[in-house]
Amino acid sequence: MNWQLPKINWANFFMDTGIIILKLTVIYLIYIIVKKVGFKLIARSFQKLEERKEISLGRSRTLQSLITNIFSYALVFVFIVTVLELFNIKATAVLAGAGVVGLAVGFGAQGLVSDVVTGFFLLLEKQIDVGDYVTTGSFSGIVEAVGLRTTQIRSFDGTLHYIPNRMITTLSNHSRGNMRALVDITIPYEKNIDEAIKILQSACDALAEEEPKIIEGPNVLGVQNLGTSDVVIRVIAKTENMAQWEVERKMRKVLKEALQSLQTEKD
Amino acid sequence: MNWQLPKINWANFFMDTGIIILKLTVIYLIYIIVKKVGFKLIARSFQKLEERKEISLGRSRTLQSLITNIFSYALVFVFIVTVLELFNIKATAVLAGAGVVGLAVGFGAQGLVSDVVTGFFLLLEKQIDVGDYVTTGSFSGIVEAVGLRTTQIRSFDGTLHYIPNRMITTLSNHSRGNMRALVDITIPYEKNIDEAIKILQSACDALAEEEPKIIEGPNVLGVQNLGTSDVVIRVIAKTENMAQWEVERKMRKVLKEALQSLQTEKD
Amino acid sequence: MNWQLPKINWANFFMDTGIIILKLTVIYLIYIIVKKVGFKLIARSFQKLEERKEISLGRSRTLQSLITNIFSYALVFVFIVTVLELFNIKATAVLAGAGVVGLAVGFGAQGLVSDVVTGFFLLLEKQIDVGDYVTTGSFSGIVEAVGLRTTQIRSFDGTLHYIPNRMITTLSNHSRGNMRALVDITIPYEKNIDEAIKILQSACDALAEEEPKIIEGPNVLGVQNLGTSDVVIRVIAKTENMAQWEVERKMRKVLKEALQSLQTEKD
Amino acid sequence: MNWQLPKINWANFFMDTGIIILKLTVIYLIYIIVKKVGFKLIARSFQKLEERKEISLGRSRTLQSLITNIFSYALVFVFIVTVLELFNIKATAVLAGAGVVGLAVGFGAQGLVSDVVTGFFLLLEKQIDVGDYVTTGSFSGIVEAVGLRTTQIRSFDGTLHYIPNRMITTLSNHSRGNMRALVDITIPYEKNIDEAIKILQSACDALAEEEPKIIEGPNVLGVQNLGTSDVVIRVIAKTENMAQWEVERKMRKVLKEALQSLQTEKD
Amino acid sequence: MNWQLPKINWANFFMDTGIIILKLTVIYLIYIIVKKVGFKLIARSFQKLEERKEISLGRSRTLQSLITNIFSYALVFVFIVTVLELFNIKATAVLAGAGVVGLAVGFGAQGLVSDVVTGFFLLLEKQIDVGDYVTTGSFSGIVEAVGLRTTQIRSFDGTLHYIPNRMITTLSNHSRGNMRALVDITIPYEKNIDEAIKILQSACDALAEEEPKIIEGPNVLGVQNLGTSDVVIRVIAKTENMAQWEVERKMRKVLKEALQSLQTEKD
Amino acid sequence: MNWQLPKINWANFFMDTGIIILKLTVIYLIYIIVKKVGFKLIARSFQKLEERKEISLGRSRTLQSLITNIFSYALVFVFIVTVLELFNIKATAVLAGAGVVGLAVGFGAQGLVSDVVTGFFLLLEKQIDVGDYVTTGSFSGIVEAVGLRTTQIRSFDGTLHYIPNRMITTLSNHSRGNMRALVDITIPYEKNIDEAIKILQSACDALAEEEPKIIEGPNVLGVQNLGTSDVVIRVIAKTENMAQWEVERKMRKVLKEALQSLQTEKD
Amino acid sequence: MNWQLPKINWANFFMDTGIIILKLTVIYLIYIIVKKVGFKLIARSFQKLEERKEISLGRSRTLQSLITNIFSYALVFVFIVTVLELFNIKATAVLAGAGVVGLAVGFGAQGLVSDVVTGFFLLLEKQIDVGDYVTTGSFSGIVEAVGLRTTQIRSFDGTLHYIPNRMITTLSNHSRGNMRALVDITIPYEKNIDEAIKILQSACDALAEEEPKIIEGPNVLGVQNLGTSDVVIRVIAKTENMAQWEVERKMRKVLKEALQSLQTEKD
């Protein structure tokens, strides 16, 4: 064991450092330019597509957000490989290596591959489009962007959720057809059920005529539950997509007033 | 380390790019045509099959949704491999490689294989048909389509659930035979149980005659629970498939009225 | 990079296609015939077995459902291998290969092997027979069929649950001996416990004589819980298998009436 | 591609089939005989062991159930290997192979090995004996049989639970020493605590003399909880194994009566 | 087997130890100096960047915290490798080895790689910036620092959460646009709904004029729920980011006073 | 395929069987003797150790239970290997093999190794000693024995829990220092807080003098919670290990009486 | 198969055993001496460090506990390897082997490596120091020691939690800055909100002057919740670290008295 400092040729060291910084700057500028140009080209192409109205607006925006996403990932990948080669590190060799590093990378990157595979099928099977109202896991909201790796969902309180695609194991899409409006209304145990149902149904019919968003008139189904002092009556309707909450609110108001008027008459 | 830009033959570059875009367009057109023709052929074949009524409607639609699905996947696979070869990337070589990329792909694709294997057995064992009312995990609804990778279930509120087949670990099919209607009715503690049961049973018998959807008459089983101030009486019936809720609602109404009339007589 | 369409010999293409379709039809017909004949042979063998009453009915039906299942799987496997060979794909070579596909298949098929292994031991250890009332995971019901891969359980509301055998980690069989009927009855805090127990026990004894399904007479165990205003008395009995609910209902009725009569006498 | 049916020598085919069926029958008969003789030998050996009383009854039955189990597994294994060799399938070769099938089997059988290893230690460490009252996971009951792969526990409601040994991660054995009886009794907030404790303790002492199953006399520990209108007093005792519930019930009755008499005296 | 102590050359031993300690001190000093200089350079560069206002403040701070983090990790890595080489342990050889140690390290380091990969995408996809209010898993708060391996979130009660990046499977960012303020207000069942809504709406309009943080005026949506004695009315508004709680508090006060004045007038 | 029974030399067969049984008996006897002698030697050594009081009693018993455990495992291992060699099965060869069996064993034994590794560190880090009161997972109680593979904990109701060491991921040891006694006492909303605190504190001080197990006198911390009709006051103390429950009970009694006397005085 | 006992040279056997025991004793004594000397050196070095006050007390104690821990592990490792070599077992060869044992060890030791890696980053990123009040998983308390493998946390009730570092997936450190004190106070629905807020705020201001531990005066935020008969008002303050509970208690007392005085005045 002997004691000596490694000799460093300081002149060369600063030269090399300077050249590398120069190269880095040039590469970064090219990266910035290519990125801006690419993004504009993509945006313009999709603008034309939308004008021709060949595919639905949601689908076109989904594809645009996806292609922008793929383009920027490819660019970043090329950029990183180039920079690493400046420092004499061959990225592809590292990826192909089978040592401990390779193993760790393989396992670490596993999640990434799952994300891309799941994202690919999400789009291929048209499970999701920008603008859809979806639920996945414990997240609900409007889809803002679909990427190769992540999907962005904005919930109704304004929060933006970033969800890796592999986390989307099951997807519930609420924008794929008409929705149901359901109201449970409680009447006292002593009341005559037939009479109550008749009054509720006529209130429903009146609402159905007024409200164009109702597709299949609210119908009184019957006794849903027998409590010890109450009887629960269920009423359901079919509405246009996304109109279910509004219709439910109107139904609640109308049904409550119908029951109340009945009460008043009797008194 | 020396500083030089890679020389790019710009003439060739634009030539090649042009040819590739041309090829891409041709391939895309062929893809579109084959897809449309294939889909029509499949649809027409199954239409004939349905007319001949050799297999049940649900089964025929299940098979149609499956075969359309397999066909479109095969097409997309061929399309992607062709496009990749345009860019000199051999997809099969990548798949067979055993480096880090291969490993990551293997693990990432694992879910895909599980989906296909599970989907295959779902169909082979006739666990599921288009139109069945099923529950799997926390999702319930009517099956809309069964694919190689995903099953689509529409729940009663109109939401469409996309469920990867591997997520269907256990499947509960509610469309495989007659269903049970069950009503628990509460009577006050002081009431005589024998008398109450007699009245409830006669109301049940009357309902059984009226309602053809009831297969095995509603029967009063007896005391299900002893509360501190109530006695719970259970009544069950067997009904046609999917008629259980309607029958339960009718039973609740009839039983409640029977009990009430009893009350009134006494007073 | 040069630009040419692959030459396709269209005459040969249509010839080959025709021959393949012909072969497919023949293979499919053979498959159908073998399947029907096989199923009938199996059914007839087991019918004879049942007539001779050498093994229990549940066991014989379990074996029949299993053997039918194995037979149809073997047939489908042979059918698929034959069809794949028509298209020059050697299934066994794919299975033996160790590339990415092989790996993915290996992992994907893992669940299948677990299913078969677990199913094998379910039957070997006689844990389950067709007709048993079992609970596994969150599913309860009567076993309808036991297969190599899946077990079918019909719950009491009529739903048919398909459960892959590997999901049956623990199995609770409710058809393996006599069952217990348990009733907790509440008496007011002020009442004398000894007196209450005496009356309840005499009611139990009367019931035991009437009801032949009770194997070990209902016995009053004593004070199970001390509430602030109530005392809970526990009564248990041993009954024939599947008669526990009926006996519990009768016990509830009898015990309640006994307590009530006590009340009345005092007043 | 050419079109010809494989030639089958039908004479040979039926000959071979006949011989195989004959062999199968002989093997099956030997299997049945060896099994019956073996089971009898094992049963008789253990009967002698029990008569000599060298080891505890629970332990001897545990070992008997285990050895019967190992014996029948070994027999089945030999039987299956023999049958497979009739059809020219070498089971050991399949097990040693390292293709996709081997891999899948390896993973599938992993659970089996875990079962055996865990079962081995369950017995070696004497964690469990036939007749013990144990809890594992969500299952409680009396151990009926301990096998190489599965343990059978009968819960108090009569259900028989089959639990693979690897599922027994932690085991709580309630038959390994004296048990504790614990009763919480509520007194009104206004009552004097010292006086209440004195009365409860004297009732406990009286019970301790009467009841031989109590090993360490019930002792009043003191105020366990202060509610807004109640004070909870805790009383604990040590009892013989399995007598804890009976003692608790007696304690509840005695303590309640003691408190009530106090009340009455005051009034 | 023979018995002798290994001979240690004590002179050499102390010499070597002395040299190693000397070397360690020098290396440590260099480490300290490089670290301080590096941190200052990074801090100064970002200060300039912020002054020029080319990128947003949150983004610049995010990048600064990240680069400082990467720099210190690289330094520590170089430091450890150097120290290990003093003791003749080649760290790279250990990492590349494939024995049991290598395997264990590979698995152990797997988490580290996942952290870095996830962290990389968190930043690339701009999911997170220093100063954002985010929720991930069960942690909510303001992002304080984003590192290669860990993200620091300070929750509103002052606690600082250190979260490994791989634990951030889904991220909900509450600082990405306007937020919603939602108030549910309860009115008695007998009250006229139309009148109540009118009064609440006019109170909302008054508030909207006063409060500039409200972007979309609070609107009364209608009947959200029908209780047995109450009717729940829902009011929502859109507010500036982070102003949602303040606006909700004001809305609650204003709506309550509006309802109360109504009450008073009537009396 | 030809039909012949394997020829068995019956004379040799019985001879060999006899010799094997003889050998087995001898080996078993040696095993029994070595075990008994070994156990006695271990017990005697530790008895001496305890007499000399060089290490704490808990630690010495921990080591004794561990060494007895290691010794009996080693013996069983040697015994099994010897027996297997009688039947010409080389256990070491099986363990070293890399076929499907080896793989399955490797995975199956994984849990065993985890147990031993965790157990080793439990003891090395002195996390646990026989006689400690610990909590791990959902199990609490006094440690009865610490083994290489399993730890035995007896809970206060008398149940003995067998916990594989690998299940002890986190361990909470309640026998490592003084404990805290905490009592929350509720006073009516109208009462003056300062006065109540003064009275409670003086009752605490009186208790502190009486009770030697209290190390840091019970102190009244102040208002812990504001209910709508109650105010909760918190009192805490530091006590000797394991005396916390007794002290809490005394505190509850004393505090309640103090509050009550206050009430009475006022009236 | 022939029957002979292995010949053992009993003289040699006892000689060897004696020598081994001698060697063991010597090795053990050296181990004890090195351990004691090492611990003293470490303790003295850190004592000096603390006196010079170059690093914070918490940090210095953290490092001391860590280095003591590393030192004792290294010693134990050397000790075990030496002892194993006495018995001719080469530990390094076992570790490098790739048979079933090696595999099992590799998997078993995986947890150990994860512990060390996580522990390393816990310290490098200064997430934790001895004396910090932290929460991780379901454990909260003051850090007592940070080791290579385990972290010790003492919770406020006196229990000492031993947590393997790999279990510390996320860490919440409550000793990293000022804390928030939060009190929700309920006022009756009929009360005027403005007036109540004014009185509460003035009480807060008075408290802020008195109490130096409050850093940012308690502020009344406004109406947090609208119950059917109550209005909840929220008050928050910023306090010194660890003073949050004390301040909250004082705030509760002061706010309650303020509200009560208001009540009294009116009456």
Side-chain angles (χ1 to χ4, degrees), chain D residues 15-59:
Chain D
M15 272 292 273
D16 288 4
T17 308
I19 288 169
I20 282 175
I21 288 171
L22 216 103
K23 284 185 176 175
L24 270 182
T25 318
V26 174
I27 291 168
Y28 184 71
L29 286 177
I30 293 173
Y31 167 74
I32 293 289
I33 293 164
V34 173
K35 195 177 170 183
K36 284 216 171 143
V37 172
F39 275 25
K40 262 200 190 148
L41 278 175
I42 292 170
R44 207 168 293 169
S45 313
F46 275 95
Q47 224 169 353
K48 282 189 190 161
L49 209 72
E50 274 175 34
E51 282 162 13
R52 287 198 231 145
K53 293 192 179 177
E54 282 182 0
I55 51 172
S56 78
L57 194 75
R59 197 71 195 158

Side-chain angles (χ1 to χ4, degrees), chain B residues 202-220:
Chain B
S202 67
C204 286
D205 295 344
L207 180 65
E209 275 178 29
E210 255 175 55
E211 179 60 61
K213 285 175 182 164
I214 296 176
I215 281 160
E216 214 176 287
N219 294 310
V220 182

Side-chain angles (χ1 to χ4, degrees), chain F residues 23 95 97 110 121 125 127 169-174 176 179-180 189-191 193-194 221 223-224, chain G residues 2-3 73 100 104 107 112 139 149-150 154 156-157 159-162 164 249 252-253 256 260:
Chain F
K23 283 185 177 174
L95 285 181
Q110 194 177 324
F121 282 106
E125 300 182 340
Q127 291 184 16
T169 46
T170 53
L171 186 99
S172 306
N173 195 324
H174 308 287
R176 289 279 187 272
M179 299 300 282
R180 184 190 56 179
Y189 199 84
E190 324 79 49
K191 232 178 231 175
I193 294 175
D194 285 321
L221 289 186
V223 183
Q224 190 62 22
Chain G
N2 66 336
W3 172 239
Y73 277 6
V100 169
F107 277 107
L112 188 62
F139 302 99
R149 206 192 77 88
T150 333
R154 187 175 295 277
F156 290 124
D157 73 342
T159 301
L160 189 60
H161 305 286
Y162 293 86
R249 270 189 227 105
R252 272 189 220 106
K253 179 161 170 279
K256 185 228 157 187
Q260 226 164 357

Side-chain angles (χ1 to χ4, degrees), chain D residues 11 33 47 54 61 82 97 121 157 161 163 165 180 184 191 205 207 209 222 227 231 239-240:
Chain D
I33 293 164
Q47 224 169 353
E54 282 182 0
R61 282 192 188 158
T82 317
F121 282 105
D157 73 342
H161 305 286
I163 304 170
N165 288 333
R180 184 191 56 179
D184 278 348
K191 233 177 231 174
D205 295 345
L207 180 66
E209 276 178 28
V231 174
T239 74
E240 281 177 17

Side-chain angles (χ1 to χ4, degrees), chain E residues 11-39:
Chain E
N12 274 5
F13 180 80
F14 283 113
M15 271 293 274
D16 287 5
T17 310
I19 287 170
I20 283 174
I21 288 173
L22 216 105
K23 282 185 177 174
L24 272 181
T25 318
V26 173
I27 290 168
Y28 184 71
L29 286 178
I30 293 173
Y31 167 74
I32 293 289
I33 292 165
V34 172
K35 195 176 171 183
K36 286 217 170 142
V37 172
F39 275 26

Side-chain angles (χ1 to χ4, degrees), chain D residues 30 48 76 92 111 142 153 158 196 222 235 237 247 252 267:
Chain D
I30 293 173
K48 282 189 190 161
V76 166
T92 47
I142 302 296
I153 293 178
V235 187
V247 170
R252 272 189 220 104
D267 301 343

